[in-house]
């Protein structure tokens, strides 16, 4: 078995945020568990741990077996039957993805019988598939299409669908469902239930009428969906996609009156290269900047600047909440939950509305940016905000929904006009005839460039927490973060474990920075940190809303996490770098590679703490003049939430 | 649905779930009980079953839509299910079907305006040697021919009769 190396120390062992590793099927004599079983696949003999599936064993032997319903992140389904193989002494062909090796067996993966069965499976799938690849967003990146090519499909044995049968569901701001392209692999169903714990989709009806439906086949906008797009990233075909605003954006670019500005989140830059054939984990930040400009955007800004701003606002909010809870004895305001992930925000609004008072009132970096661009920036540049079109490049499909929340009009206009996914950006760049990989580098534009590494690591699970810790520790102790954590790297919050936990004892107390003067005046904070003496900060980090649910249930039951002061939750497995708008495919190793790119870039930056970002400091001098969590910032940078509940009817 | 009706249905489902210890495998018997009483498993009922069993409403919907004896829309008091499988088809299912449609004035898949009868096809009932076979709720009829159809229907119409008579019937059954 070739050993994987991950020199950046990112743990990849439990890449799937659910606790169980799904590929080992057990069920045999208990005494055998833990032992090795020999297996012969084609002409290769090997020994594998008891219960390993044929598919996994074949992989380690370097034998490729085609799959469709199988996905590394998901539990096994065994419904598509493309992965069939011959197992000696078994009468029928067996699905290799679900067949556990519990005794010595001989497997054939290439016989005529196997080839023919697979071809027939494909022919049957194609007979029900509305295939019009050239107008499909998965053209050239579709598992069904690839299989058809691999198996040399040159005619439709069982017929072909000429006209779409089902109406495309475009009701959601984020996800478009086109069931004419669905192959019923149920990956989306498993994603939504097992990874996200939202349970929007099911295989409804029976037999040849089986379809993937929502509750009573309602439009997606009318059921409880958190818009995370994780289903899109795991769909093998074009049946699920994000709602693409690029036509409107092109129109704005082509309109000389419009000032089209782009803000780019931290994760797309670590992944967009994949769309241009680069290896996962190749960071192309500055080439991407050039490409976005060449595609016609007037300005390219860095969302990391408002991520830094978020840290100042959210960190201050945390100190204020701690003060209220520990000194003034207020209840029900801790732990403070992060609010950057719109999927998570909608999740808590639906499933745990009673905890909304604990959700940070800070807007996400995207929306903070939106509010500033049409106010602060417009004033500074002397541009009529009505002429500004603000676009955000996000790894996320839920950001589209967030931009459309009615409360996101702090500037008097729609703060963010369009949320664009990494995939859609890559498509626009291609459409402009640009090869991203061959471009010169260029910097972000000011005043929203040159952000800190702390803002950058927002892209990985644990990143917001690490950024906050770097700042809060310095602000409270007067020490440098480097004195507390080697290289200012907060390793315990990194990696892909489903829920991470950490305690930070506050070693000493420094003076209260001048930034908080107006808060102190209002009695929202003490003039010294004495009330924090001997305190231990307890924090937790969760990613994937199935883990968020475990965490919330623990808090509800008064468990360990109810003692936390601050909790980061990201809706997507791996955090934003695994977002629903990122390049497809996704897998534990791809997400680990993207994380490595992000942490690597952070290490290379001189500026690695949000509160040292000179543009943010300037913003407080020029615009948000009463400091973090002051009135100005409340007007532009904070928001409120809607308790939605989980009733569908 | 009225708020009070919802409350009582919620209560009823909670009690049912109690009986099955809120375990997932109680779902089928729960759904059957609800279907029998309300002639459907409504959207609200599916949601409450989900809540009680700790699954998602969509999952319950998946189950309800899978089984043809469960339905999300209210069925008639009496559901007629005519076997459409091979043996019954050869034995003259088509004539029986036409007669049923004519007598009831509805097509297969529909319910009469008075909500008395629903007409459906089903698959083999295991009465192949005595086809055509049909079910009216849980009663089996074999060797049905068009002339028998009106007698069968009449029997159930009579059962329904004035409200008091029906209640008596139901009390008797229970
Ligand atoms: S889903 Fe795949 S096979 Fe189907 S039309 Fe799209 S690209 Fe072609
Ligand atoms: S977007 Fe997320 S919540 Fe909505 S259906 Fe897809 S996986 Fe489920
Ligand atoms: S929508 Fe996509 S993921 Fe879901 S079952 Fe269909 S093909 Fe599979
Ligand atoms: S991949 Fe094995 S059955 Fe689908
Ligand atoms: S074919 Fe009708 S009962 Fe079997």
């Amino acid at each position: 078995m070739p050993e994987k190396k991950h020199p950046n120390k990112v743990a990849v062992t439990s890449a799937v945020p659910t606790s169980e590793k799904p590929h080992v099927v057990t069920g045999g004599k208990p005494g055998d568990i833990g032992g090795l079983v020999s297996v012969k696949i084609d002409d290769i003999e090997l020994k594998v741990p008891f219960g390993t599936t044929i598919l996994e064993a074949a992989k380690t032997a370097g034998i490729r077996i085609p799959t469709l319903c199988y996905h590394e992140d998901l539990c096994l389904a065994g419904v598509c039957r493309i992965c069939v193989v011959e197992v000696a002494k078994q009468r029928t062909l067996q699905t290799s993805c679900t067949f556990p090796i519990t005794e010595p067996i001989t497997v054939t993966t290439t016989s005529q019988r196997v080839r023919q069965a697979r071809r027939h499976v494909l022919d049957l799938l194609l007979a029900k598939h509305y295939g019009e690849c050239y107008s499909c967003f998965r053209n050239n990146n579709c598992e069904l299409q690839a299989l058809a090519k691999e198996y040399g499909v040159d005619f439709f044995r069982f017929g072909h669908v000429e006209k779409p049968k089902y109406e495309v569901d475009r009701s959601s701001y984020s996800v478009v469902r086109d069931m004419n392209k669905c192959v019923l692999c149920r990956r989306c169903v498993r994603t939504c239930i097992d990874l996200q714990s939202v349970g929007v989709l099911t295989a409804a009806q029976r037999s040849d009428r089986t379809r993937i439906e929502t509750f009573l086949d309602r439009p997606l906008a009318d059921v409880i969906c958190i818009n995370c797009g994780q289903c899109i990233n795991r769909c093998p075909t074009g049946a699920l996609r994000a709602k693409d605003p690029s036509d409107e954006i092109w129109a704005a670019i082509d309109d000389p009156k419009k000032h089209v500005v782009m803000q780019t989140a931290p994760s797309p830059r670590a992944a967009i290269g994949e769309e241009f054939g680069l290896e996962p984990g190749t960071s192309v930040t500055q080439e991407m900047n050039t490409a976005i400009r060449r595609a016609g955007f007037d300005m390219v800004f860095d969302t990391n600047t408002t991520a830094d701003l978020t840290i100042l606002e959210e960190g201050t909010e945390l100190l204020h909440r701690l003060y209220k809870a520990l000194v003034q004895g207020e209840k029900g305001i801790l732990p403070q939950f992060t609010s950057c992930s719109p999927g998570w925000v909608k999740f808590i609004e639906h499933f745990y509305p009673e905890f909304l008072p604990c959700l940070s009132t800070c807007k996400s970096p995207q929306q903070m940016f939106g509010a500033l661009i049409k106010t602060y920036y417009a004033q500074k540049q002397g541009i009529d905000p009505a002429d500004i079109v603000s676009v955000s490049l996000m790894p996320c499909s839920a950001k589209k929904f967030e931009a459309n929340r009615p409360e996101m009009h702090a500037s008097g206009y729609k703060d963010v006009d369009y949320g664009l996914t990494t995939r859609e950006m890559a498509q626009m760049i291609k459409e402009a005839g640009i090869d991203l990989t061959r471009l010169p580098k260029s910097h972000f534009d000011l005043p929203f460039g040159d952000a800190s590494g702390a803002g950058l690591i927002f892209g990985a699970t644990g990143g917001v927490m690490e950024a906050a810790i770097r700042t809060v520790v310095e602000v409270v102790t007067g020490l440098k973060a480097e004195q507390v954590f080697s290289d200012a790297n907060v390793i315990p919050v990194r990696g892909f474990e489903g829920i991470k936990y950490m305690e930070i004892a506050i070693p000493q107390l420094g003076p209260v920075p001048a930034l908080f003067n107006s808060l102190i005046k209002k009695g929202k904070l003490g003039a010294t940190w004495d009330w924090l003496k001997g305190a231990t900060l307890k924090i937790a980090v969760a990613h994937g809303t199935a883990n968020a649910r475990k965490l919330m249930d623990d808090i509800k039951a008064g468990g360990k996490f109810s003692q936390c002061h601050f909790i980061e939750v990201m809706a997507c497995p791996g955090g934003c770098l695994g977002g629903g708008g990122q390049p497809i495919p996704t897998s534990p190793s791809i997400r680990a590679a993207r994380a490595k790119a992000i942490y690597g870039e952070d290490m290379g930056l001189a500026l690695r703490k949000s509160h040292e970002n000179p543009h943010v400091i300037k913003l407080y001098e020029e615009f948000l003049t009463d400091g973090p969590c002051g009135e100005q910032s409340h007007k532009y940078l904070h928001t409120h939430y809607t308790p939605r509940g989980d009733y569908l009817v | 649905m009225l708020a009070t009706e919802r409350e009582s249905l919620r209560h009823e489902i909670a009690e049912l779930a109690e009986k099955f210890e809120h375990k997932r495998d109680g779902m089928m018997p729960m759904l059957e009980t609800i279907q029998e009483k309300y002639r459907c498993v409504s959207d609200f009922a599916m949601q409450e079953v989900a809540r009680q069993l700790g699954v998602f409403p969509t999952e319950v919907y998946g189950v309800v839509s899978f089984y043809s004896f469960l339905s999300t829309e209210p069925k008639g008091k009496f559901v007629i299910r005519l076997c459409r499988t091979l043996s019954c088809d050869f034995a003259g299912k088509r004539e029986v079907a036409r007669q049923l449609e004519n007598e009831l004035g509805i097509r297969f898949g529909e319910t009469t305006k008075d909500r008395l009868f629903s007409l459906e096809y089903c698959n083999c009932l295991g009465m192949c040697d005595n086809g055509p076979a049909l079910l009216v709720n849980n009663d089996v009829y074999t060797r049905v021919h068009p002339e028998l159809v009106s007698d069968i229907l009449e029997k159930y119409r009579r059962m329904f009769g004035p409200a008091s008579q029906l209640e008596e019937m139901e009390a008797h059954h229970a």
Side-chain angles (χ1 to χ4, degrees):
Chain A
M1 192 166 178
E3 208 180 293
K4 289 188 202 144
K5 282 219 170 64
H6 295 279
N8 65 332
K9 288 186 246 158
V10 172
V12 289
T13 41
S14 63
V16 182
T18 42
S19 48
E20 310 86 337
K21 256 273 195 205
H23 317 307
V24 178
V25 184
T26 46
K29 285 169 275 159
D32 298 333
I33 294 174
L36 291 176
V37 193
S38 51
V39 50
K40 184 163 181 234
I41 308 179
D42 298 336
D43 52 356
I44 298 179
E45 283 185 50
L46 69 159
K47 282 193 185 318
V48 294
F50 178 92
T52 306
T53 62
I54 294 177
L55 180 67
E56 289 287 304
K59 239 186 241 174
T60 55
I63 294 170
R64 206 188 88 84
I65 296 175
T67 56
L68 195 57
C69 67
Y70 170 86
H71 194 286
E72 259 186 282
D73 288 336
L74 304 173
C75 68
L76 302 171
V79 291
C80 77
R81 307 198 67 82
I82 196 78
C83 69
V84 286
V85 293
E86 261 186 84
V87 180
K89 290 197 230 126
Q90 296 276 347
R91 190 174 54 84
T92 54
L93 296 177
Q94 299 295 319
T95 48
S96 60
C97 68
T98 57
F99 193 102
I101 303 168
T102 56
E103 57 183 352
I105 51 169
T106 303
V107 179
T108 315
T109 72
T110 53
S111 65
Q112 190 271 342
R113 199 172 155 216
V114 167
R115 273 198 326 273
Q116 188 181 38
R118 289 181 187 163
R119 175 69 194 267
H120 280 175
V121 166
L122 263 174
D123 286 334
L124 284 166
L125 284 173
L126 293 176
K128 290 219 125 200
H129 183 78
Y130 178 53
E132 34 89 45
C133 302
Y134 33 81
S135 64
C136 180
F137 112 100
R138 291 296 289 274
N139 193 7
N140 260 328
N141 182 20
C142 168
E143 292 179 39
L144 181 64
Q145 193 188 46
L147 284 170
K149 182 162 163 51
E150 193 176 317
Y151 283 85
V153 171
D154 49 1
F155 73 109
F156 299 116
R157 192 187 312 264
F158 303 123
H160 194 52
V161 182
E162 299 298 337
K163 268 205 272 200
K165 209 167 140 195
Y166 309 110
E167 208 181 314
V168 178
D169 179 0
R170 299 174 203 273
S171 62
S172 153
Y173 281 119
S174 299
V175 182
V176 177
R177 296 177 67 236
D178 179 359
M179 290 303 108
N180 298 295
K181 307 269 178 75
C182 175
V183 293
L184 296 172
C185 69
R186 293 150 170 86
R187 283 195 201 169
C188 55
V189 175
R190 283 173 280 156
T191 301
C192 197
I193 293 175
D194 296 342
L195 297 185
Q196 299 307 85
S197 195
V198 185
V200 176
L201 304 168
T202 190
Q205 318 298 338
R206 188 179 65 231
S207 157
D208 66 340
R209 286 192 309 279
T210 307
R211 271 217 309 156
I212 305 300
E213 290 183 16
T214 60
F215 187 66
L216 285 164
D217 205 19
R218 291 189 182 158
L220 197 55
D222 296 350
V223 297
I224 297 171
C225 162
I226 62 167
N227 306 303
C228 63
Q230 288 302 310
C231 50
I232 302 176
N233 285 21
R234 286 173 186 76
C235 178
T237 72
L240 298 172
R241 61 178 193 267
K243 189 175 260 176
D244 183 357
S246 52
D247 285 343
E248 287 95 322
I249 296 171
W250 282 125
I253 287 175
D254 295 339
D255 181 345
K257 261 190 62 204
K258 296 287 180 204
H259 183 70
V260 188
V261 301
M262 171 64 96
Q263 55 160 315
T264 64
S267 289
R269 65 193 70 171
I272 197 168
E274 293 164 33
E275 294 278 348
F276 294 86
L278 299 178
E279 278 299 302
T282 317
S283 202
V284 289
T285 314
Q286 300 207 337
E287 290 84 349
M288 185 185 75
N289 289 348
T290 311
I292 295 172
R293 276 194 198 93
R294 289 206 184 163
F297 288 83
D298 294 301
M299 291 285 173
V300 187
F301 294 129
D302 196 348
T303 312
N304 298 0
T305 313
T306 43
D308 284 335
L309 187 61
T310 303
I311 288 302
L312 282 165
E313 291 292 330
E314 202 160 329
T316 307
E317 184 185 353
L318 176 65
L319 290 168
H320 178 44
R321 279 178 193 254
L322 286 171
Y323 187 71
K324 276 202 284 193
L326 302 178
V327 180
Q328 300 169 334
E330 197 172 324
K331 296 249 179 302
I333 51 170
L334 290 176
Q336 172 175 301
F337 294 106
T338 59
S339 55
C340 322
S341 163
W344 153 243
V345 168
K346 192 142 185 279
F347 186 85
I348 189 172
E349 284 180 333
H350 280 301
F351 297 111
Y352 300 92
E354 68 275 27
F355 283 95
L356 284 177
C358 294
L359 189 59
S360 163
T361 59
C362 290
K363 287 181 187 170
S364 69
Q366 163 178 289
Q367 293 305 136
M368 287 198 181
F369 195 100
L372 292 175
I373 209 79
K374 294 194 180 178
T375 53
Y376 174 68
Y377 172 78
Q379 283 160 27
K380 241 178 131 86
Q381 303 293 313
I383 304 174
D384 181 352
D387 288 335
I388 296 180
V389 176
S390 103
V391 183
S392 63
L393 169 55
M394 293 285 145
C396 180
S397 54
K399 289 282 170 194
K400 295 171 189 283
F401 173 84
E402 185 184 39
N404 281 298
R405 278 178 176 257
E407 60 270 27
M408 296 301 175
H409 284 74
S411 62
Y413 300 87
K414 193 176 170 199
D415 294 335
V416 174
D417 292 291
Y418 306 107
L420 194 66
T421 64
T422 311
R423 295 188 296 265
E424 291 153 358
M425 185 74 245
Q427 181 55 43
M428 287 184 77
I429 292 172
K430 285 179 193 163
E431 203 174 328
I434 300 163
D435 180 0
L436 181 95
T437 58
R438 292 163 189 276
L439 290 182
K441 297 172 183 247
S442 65
H443 283 287
F444 289 102
D445 290 305
L446 294 179
F448 301 111
D450 298 335
S452 79
L456 179 69
I457 58 173
F458 265 54
T461 162
V464 177
M465 186 54 77
E466 179 165 349
I469 290 173
R470 286 182 193 169
T471 287
V472 169
V473 160
E474 291 206 355
V475 164
V476 169
T477 65
L479 295 167
K480 286 272 142 209
E482 286 80 356
Q483 291 172 275
V484 185
F485 305 100
S486 115
D487 286 330
N489 291 336
V490 189
I491 301 298
V493 297
R494 296 189 183 180
F496 295 111
E497 203 188 315
I499 304 177
K500 292 164 274 188
Y501 176 80
M502 187 187 182
E503 294 186 2
I504 306 164
I506 297 181
Q508 67 171 65
L509 300 170
V512 179
L515 198 61
F516 297 135
N517 281 349
S518 69
L519 280 185
I520 296 171
K521 233 179 273 160
K522 286 182 207 140
K524 292 185 171 181
L525 219 54
T528 67
W529 293 130
D530 283 350
W531 53 278
L532 279 173
K533 202 168 197 161
T536 297
L537 194 64
K538 295 178 183 166
I539 56 112
V541 173
H543 60 122
T545 36
N547 288 314
R549 190 182 285 281
K550 281 185 208 153
L551 182 101
M552 296 309 289
D553 288 342
D554 176 86
I555 293 176
K556 266 177 113 164
K560 157 171 150 189
F561 297 112
S562 66
Q563 299 305 311
C564 282
H565 303 109
F566 192 26
I567 294 179
E568 175 203 295
V569 183
M570 293 292 154
C572 293
C576 306
L577 57 84
Q582 291 282 67
I584 300 171
T586 184
S587 72
S589 59
I590 291 175
R591 293 193 292 276
R594 291 176 188 160
K596 194 180 151 195
I598 288 176
Y599 286 118
E601 205 171 325
D602 164 49
M603 270 308 266
L605 289 173
L607 181 67
R608 294 182 63 219
K609 291 160 215 161
S610 301
H611 57 288
E612 289 172 357
N613 181 334
H615 305 293
V616 169
I617 295 172
K618 201 158 155 205
L619 201 61
Y620 281 112
E621 286 163 9
E622 292 181 352
F623 190 64
L624 307 163
T625 44
D626 49 355
C629 294
E631 252 138 57
Q632 282 293 96
S633 54
H634 262 284
K635 181 164 168 209
Y636 294 111
L637 310 183
H638 290 252
T639 185
H640 56 271
Y641 304 104
T642 315
R644 295 175 197 266
D646 60 352
Y647 277 85
L648 280 158
V649 281
Chain B
M1 208 191 288
L2 293 172
T4 46
E5 281 174 355
R6 279 179 172 235
E7 244 350 281
S8 78
L9 184 55
R10 176 179 295 140
H11 190 73
E12 203 177 325
I13 291 173
E15 272 185 355
L16 262 177
E18 200 63 45
K19 217 167 98 190
F20 296 103
E21 296 168 18
H22 300 267
K23 287 195 189 128
R24 265 183 102 126
D25 50 16
M27 193 193 291
M28 278 310 287
M30 282 176 75
L31 294 176
E32 277 167 356
T33 311
I34 297 165
Q35 174 78 36
E36 198 165 320
K37 176 154 179 200
Y38 296 95
R39 303 184 207 169
C40 76
V41 186
S42 66
D43 49 2
F44 183 77
M46 286 191 276
Q47 177 185 274
E48 286 308 307
V49 170
R51 195 175 298 277
Q52 290 295 335
L53 301 182
V55 300
F56 294 105
T58 330
E59 294 179 88
V60 179
Y61 167 63
V63 173
V64 172
S65 71
F66 184 91
Y67 290 103
S68 31
F69 279 52
L70 300 173
S71 62
T72 55
E73 292 298 327
K75 290 271 165 79
K77 176 86 188 148
F78 304 107
V79 183
I80 303 168
R81 296 183 169 95
L82 177 63
C83 171
R84 65 170 160 206
T85 308
L86 214 57
S87 304
C88 290
D89 193 58
F90 285 147
K93 166 212 92 178
R94 233 161 295 187
E95 289 69 34
V96 177
R98 199 174 310 129
Q99 190 63 27
L100 280 165
E101 288 188 332
N102 287 344
E103 289 264 349
L104 294 169
I106 55 171
R107 319 293 304 255
F108 276 81
E110 294 177 355
T111 299
T112 53
K113 274 213 187 68
D114 58 7
R115 303 235 140 258
L116 204 50
F117 294 104
S118 292
L119 193 52
E120 288 175 7
Y121 282 117
C122 66
N123 293 316
C124 182
L125 295 167
M127 297 287 164
C128 322
D129 54 339
N130 282 313
L134 64 76
L135 279 177
V136 181
N137 288 0
N138 292 328
D139 307 335
V140 190
Y141 294 86
T142 51
R143 292 186 196 277
V144 183
H145 48 86
E147 293 84 81
L148 261 177
V149 165
S150 71
D151 287 355
I152 296 172
L153 294 180
E154 202 38 46
K155 180 174 158 198
Y156 291 95
R157 280 204 184 99
R158 244 184 289 126
M159 270 189 201
F160 200 55
S164 59
Q165 220 177 311
L166 178 77
E167 270 157 28
E168 216 171 280
M169 273 269 326
E170 276 178 349
H172 185 71
H173 268 277

